Amino acid sequence: LAASINHEVRNPLYVIQGLAENFLERWKDAASLDKNPLLAKAADALERSKQQAERAIEIIKRLSLFAKTGIDSEIRFEPIKIASVVEDVLPLIRCELAARSIELACDIPSDLSEVRADRRYLEEILFNLVVNACQAIKNSQRPGRIEIRATTNAEKTFLIVKDDGPGIAADKLERIFHPFYTTKQEGTGLGLYITKQLVEKIGARIAVESQPEQGTIFTLEFKRLS
């Protein structure tokens, strides 16, 4: 599976990346961008496309590493401010939120303790959880709300992603981290499974609470840095 994705998916992404870079290079010094707002918007869209292609290529590289030994050597632990991770992920999900008329609320204390993690993995974890929440709200057929907040105590730091979607029944909740299990018609059943693997790789824990018609809460638990 990893080899197939690496071959069949990465090549089209390289094409997307190359086309975007080519047009951006041609427009880089074009004075017409300042005069034509449509061209400026197109350049911004291409820049975002290039960034997302690069992100997808990086994800595929990491997926290939999952299929090999030595993945732990690729993890780069460092002290990380959760607020900065949230700031970096938000631009990647704004289109998804707008398309589904989803309200997003963030509450990350400015003095929150740093956590020890791999920044790439933590960004991917948060991205996956928010997109999962968006998809859940989509299934409820109504505008919704997602909350991202963080709290801490003497020993641990918690990052919480909460949605007011349709919720998950108890008999399904215990299986949502299993590979290829999904409650969505269009889902692959790999998103939350991979998320849990990433959480464990950085030495954190993930828990979920949910009730039908009450929404779902995912909680990431990190050891505090002294």
Side-chain angles (χ1 to χ4, degrees), residues 2 15 18 21 26 29 34 49 52 64 76 91 113-114 126 143-144 150-151 154 160-161 167 172 201 207-208 220 223:
V15 173
E21 287 177 345
R26 291 170 59 187
D29 300 320
D34 296 329
S49 297
Q52 290 307 298
S64 296
R76 296 194 289 267
S113 300
E114 294 180 324
L126 180 59
T151 62
I160 299 158
V161 178
K172 297 179 179 178
K201 289 292 182 184
V208 59
L220 300 175
K223 292 181 180 178

Side-chain angles (χ1 to χ4, degrees), residues 82-91 93-94 97 102-109 112 122-123 125-131 133-134 145-151 158-164 216-220 222:
I82 288 179
S84 69
V85 172
V86 174
E87 289 175 3
D88 288 344
V89 170
L90 288 183
I93 59 176
R94 282 188 180 129
L97 295 169
I102 297 172
E103 178 187 355
L104 178 68
C106 293
D107 182 13
I108 312 294
L112 189 73
L122 187 51
E123 288 179 355
I125 290 164
L126 180 59
F127 178 84
N128 287 349
L129 290 178
V130 175
V131 169
C134 289
R145 174 184 170 89
I146 297 173
E147 298 178 19
I148 302 175
R149 55 189 175 89
T151 62
F158 304 91
L159 177 60
I160 299 158
V161 178
K162 177 182 179 182
D163 69 68
D164 62 354
T216 302
I217 303 172
F218 286 94
T219 302
L220 300 175
F222 305 87

Side-chain angles (χ1 to χ4, degrees), residues 96 100 102 133-142 165-166 186:
E96 185 82 10
R100 315 222 185 278
I102 297 172
C134 289
Q135 293 172 346
I137 291 172
K138 172 188 173 184
N139 291 341
S140 68
Q141 302 297 319
R142 59 179 173 77
E186 72 278 13

Side-chain angles (χ1 to χ4, degrees), residues 2 11 13 21 33 47 59 137 154 157-159 161 195 201:
N11 287 346
L13 288 171
E21 287 177 345
L33 284 179
E47 179 61 37
I59 292 171
I137 291 172
T157 297
F158 304 91
L159 177 60
V161 178
T195 297
K201 289 292 182 184

Side-chain angles (χ1 to χ4, degrees), residues 23-51:
F23 277 97
L24 287 170
E25 184 65 26
R26 291 170 59 187
W27 284 348
K28 184 171 61 176
D29 300 320
S32 58
L33 284 179
D34 296 329
K35 300 177 182 178
N36 191 327
L38 290 178
L39 281 179
K41 288 182 178 180
D44 179 66
L46 283 171
E47 179 61 37
R48 291 175 182 270
S49 297
K50 182 174 75 74
Q51 291 174 358

Side-chain angles (χ1 to χ4, degrees), residues 64-85:
S64 296
L65 286 172
F66 268 116
K68 302 175 183 178
T69 57
I71 180 63
D72 292 335
S73 65
E74 292 295 319
I75 299 177
R76 296 194 289 267
F77 284 104
E78 59 180 310
I80 297 174
K81 290 185 176 295
I82 288 179
S84 69
V85 172

